[in-house]
Amino acid sequence: MTETLLDVKTLKNYINGEWKEVDETTAVINPATGEEVVKVPLSSERNINDAVEAAKAAQKEWSLVPAPQRAEVLYQVGNIMKGRKEHLSKLLTLENGKVLEEARGEVQEGIDMAFYMAGEGRRLFGQTTPAELKDKFAMSVRAPIGVVGIITPWNFPIAIATWKSFPAIVAGNAVVWKPATETPIMAYELAKIYEEAGLPKGVVNVVFGTGSSVGDAMVHHDDIRVISFTGSNETGSHIAGECGRQLKKVSLEMGGKNAVIVMDDADLNLAVEGILWSAFGTSGQRCTACSRVIVHEKVKEELEQRLLKEMKQLTIGNGMDETVKVGPIINDAGMDKIKKYIEIGKNEGAKMLAGGHELTDGKFSKGNYFAPTLFTDTTVDMRIAQEEIFGPVVSLIPVSSFDEAIKANNGVKYGLSSSIFTKDVNQVFKAQRDLDTGIVYVNAGTTGAEIHLPFGGSKGTGNGHRDSGVQALDVFTEWKAVYVDYSGKLQRAQIDVE
Ligand code: UN1
């Protein structure tokens, strides 16, 4: 399988438009089969220095290319991705494990982002605004920042990379990109696409390696002026601290503890579908995954029964098989974390209704598979209802009112996504106002954000920035206020105003 999909056995860094070999490598493992897919470089600080030098030189010229022409490259990137959608999707399933249907969805998200951000080449709007003095003109424009560093996770290896790199490129920056070592193939493929699309060399550079060496070198490099990171809270807050000391701009997208609220008037069939899709899709390995269901006590038992029935229908296995709905867990560390939380949940007194164990028999013996798990009678303060698990585990929390449901939703340190199932229009509008997450769904699960809206969260999920949407441009541009005085005399603001 790998041989027919991938044209190399060992990946190389992509620096200044050239493929650069690195001595040290590590194996990338297909989580569905345990087989080696490819080898990925483990780069060092020196490789980052080379990449930044190339990026710095390239950015000077790139920033002078008119934005609509920069956008032409992104249109090309989008077209090439579209033509290769099936190939990219299969490679994505191979390295990440997500089922093929979802891999296609993720690649589509990247294609959408390419065309959307290419459109920004003819917008990149600033403001024109009156000046307070006669014969004086005032405007604000977006200026590129320079060299930006992007650090992307394994769970959405291509979509998140496009959320970050496309706005950076169209705005006139150059990029140094560290993809997750678990899923480097999407970065390899995207680098090839950039080249074919005609992106000048050095505008995007890919350096593979670990967070502690490559990531750290990026965070501490003086010429990288922005770090855009998606990953764990632990790493994110470390990066924020380091960037803070250097007065470096940092955009963080981290964990979630997303809930679906099911009110007593909800369409329960729809709610069940929404919960299954957002809790067990991608095996729960989304930042937006539903890991809590806050259910009105009047419909709690009915919902439990329906969920249990449908959970039995979920086919688990290798995502390459089109009939499979739940794929593997990324690696051993991911499995260990899920197992740890199952024990925590049991010890805390939550009632386990289904799952709770690794799958090891027969077809499961070589990969990392975990049975979809349902806990009930969970209370808001339990650790399984507070901490991110990143696996196919969902906990039901019974409540007796709308207000209690909102309080339960907001009673966690994260604030990424939330959802409510109800037919009551008053509850809908109150919920969209009072749920404190960055993303709110009504009568849908907690996943499925579209790329032209801001993606991100409040509280412990982020630090106020957003990926995707027009808001992503704020991460990769500086605002510049420009005043043009055409009066021919010195006019002092705030003083010479008549
Ligand atoms: C993530 O899990 O980090 O809204 C990204 C969604 C997807 C993106 C998820 N469009 O679930």
Side-chain angles (χ1 to χ4, degrees):
M1 170 66 79
T2 309
E3 293 77 59
T4 53
L5 287 173
L6 198 58
D7 53 3
V8 289
K9 287 205 161 60
T10 303
L11 298 175
K12 294 176 183 170
N13 287 335
Y14 182 67
I15 298 174
N16 209 20
E18 285 168 26
W19 298 99
K20 299 272 188 195
E21 206 170 301
V22 172
D23 289 341
E24 212 186 326
T25 60
T26 188
V28 175
I29 304 296
N30 178 346
T33 61
E35 286 163 15
E36 180 175 321
V37 179
V38 73
K39 285 194 167 48
V40 59
L42 291 175
S43 311
S44 62
E45 189 176 345
R46 192 171 53 82
N47 306 117
I48 284 295
N49 293 343
D50 292 346
V52 176
E53 202 181 309
K56 212 176 154 185
Q59 195 267 336
K60 284 204 178 70
E61 287 181 34
W62 184 241
S63 68
L64 299 178
V65 173
Q69 283 179 37
R70 296 198 292 253
E72 286 300 325
V73 177
L74 287 187
Y75 280 120
Q76 260 323 96
V77 167
N79 280 330
I80 301 172
M81 287 176 77
K82 215 168 156 183
R84 272 178 217 168
K85 182 172 169 183
E86 195 57 20
H87 182 241
L88 291 169
S89 305
K90 287 197 170 127
L91 281 171
L92 174 51
T93 295
L94 198 69
E95 65 175 351
N96 164 286
K98 67 176 63 182
V99 302
L100 206 44
E101 188 185 25
E102 289 187 35
R104 291 186 188 113
E106 182 182 340
V107 174
Q108 186 59 46
E109 202 165 334
I111 296 168
D112 295 342
M113 192 66 190
F115 294 126
Y116 172 62
M117 269 301 145
E120 277 307 315
R122 287 189 185 270
R123 286 187 292 265
L124 284 176
F125 293 136
Q127 296 163 316
T128 56
T129 182
E132 65 187 34
L133 291 157
K134 262 190 207 154
D135 297 333
K136 189 179 172 192
F137 180 82
M139 63 183 167
S140 65
V141 293
R142 287 186 186 277
I145 296 186
V147 179
V148 307
I150 70 173
I151 302 177
T152 54
W154 54 261
N155 73 330
F156 274 79
I158 193 151
I160 293 179
T162 67
W163 294 354
K164 296 181 191 298
S165 59
F166 294 172
I169 291 167
V170 81
N173 300 284
V175 176
V176 174
W177 172 20
K178 186 198 100 58
T181 45
E182 290 87 345
T183 54
I185 298 174
M186 287 299 100
Y188 167 62
E189 293 293 325
L190 197 53
K192 285 197 293 184
I193 291 172
Y194 278 132
E195 192 168 272
E196 284 169 57
L199 190 73
K201 60 183 188 161
V203 175
V204 170
N205 305 274
V206 182
V207 181
F208 298 103
T210 63
S212 54
S213 58
V214 173
D216 222 49
M218 287 168 71
V219 166
H220 290 106
H221 199 299
D222 284 345
D223 289 328
I224 294 186
R225 296 311 310 152
V226 186
I227 295 284
S228 175
F229 166 84
T230 297
S232 74
N233 276 65
E234 204 190 348
T235 307
S237 58
H238 168 73
I239 291 176
E242 296 302 307
C243 288
R245 267 185 283 284
Q246 304 167 75
L247 300 181
K248 186 176 288 193
K249 190 170 178 181
V250 57
S251 165
L252 304 171
E253 207 49 70
M254 301 172 291
K257 193 66 191 175
N258 317 295
V260 166
I261 298 172
V262 183
M263 294 306 297
D264 51 352
D265 68 336
D267 175 339
L268 285 191
N269 286 335
L270 187 62
V272 166
E273 273 189 75
I275 294 164
L276 288 175
W277 172 233
S278 45
F280 304 125
T282 337
S283 306
Q285 301 172 106
R286 289 190 190 220
C287 308
T288 52
C290 162
S291 67
R292 301 182 295 155
V293 173
I294 299 165
V295 57
H296 196 286
E297 59 192 8
K298 282 194 197 148
V299 291
K300 173 187 171 251
E301 268 169 47
E302 177 71 23
L303 185 74
E304 278 170 9
Q305 291 319 311
R306 291 197 200 195
L307 275 174
L308 283 172
K309 186 165 163 256
E310 293 304 322
M311 281 172 70
K312 288 203 182 84
Q313 310 299 319
L314 292 171
T315 41
I316 305 161
N318 187 333
M320 286 290 180
D321 175 347
E322 300 267 5
T323 62
V324 165
K325 293 279 176 237
V326 182
I329 303 300
I330 189 73
N331 54 23
D332 291 346
M335 288 293 275
D336 290 346
K337 187 173 180 195
I338 298 166
K339 285 188 228 162
K340 181 183 95 179
Y341 277 104
I342 298 295
E343 287 315 305
I344 290 172
K346 284 191 208 158
N347 292 335
E348 284 177 315
K351 197 160 122 199
M352 202 166 70
L353 296 179
H357 56 88
E358 194 175 350
L359 298 167
T360 50
D361 296 348
K363 67 171 184 170
F364 301 121
S365 64
K366 299 228 165 64
N368 303 319
Y369 295 95
F370 202 88
T373 302
L374 181 64
F375 277 110
T376 193
D377 296 335
T378 314
T379 56
V380 183
D381 55 340
M382 286 181 182
R383 283 183 67 191
I384 51 161
Q386 287 286 331
E387 297 171 21
E388 190 176 45
I389 301 173
F390 231 63
V393 181
V394 69
S395 302
L396 260 61
I397 305 170
V399 291
S400 55
S401 67
F402 173 81
D403 288 344
E404 207 189 319
I406 299 286
K407 196 166 161 225
N409 179 82
N410 296 351
V412 290
K413 71 173 182 183
Y414 299 108
L416 184 53
S417 179
S418 55
S419 125
I420 183 164
F421 283 85
T422 178
K423 293 188 192 120
D424 180 337
V425 68
N426 294 348
Q427 283 184 353
V428 167
F429 276 85
K430 280 186 187 144
Q432 62 82 27
R433 181 193 62 196
D434 296 341
L435 292 167
D436 68 359
T437 52
I439 304 171
V440 172
Y441 291 95
V442 174
N443 293 326
T446 55
T447 60
E450 300 178 24
I451 54 91
H452 53 301
L453 281 88
F455 182 94
S458 59
K459 303 193 289 188
T461 292
N463 63 340
H465 294 285
R466 292 292 183 266
D467 268 335
S468 86
V470 73
Q471 292 77 3
L473 291 170
D474 289 336
V475 175
F476 300 108
T477 54
E478 290 284 5
W479 280 112
K480 187 180 282 184
V482 180
Y483 302 96
V484 181
D485 192 316
Y486 53 97
S487 69
K489 59 184 183 213
L490 177 70
Q491 299 196 89
R492 297 169 303 169
Q494 293 92 36
I495 295 170
D496 294 329
V497 181
E498 280 152 26

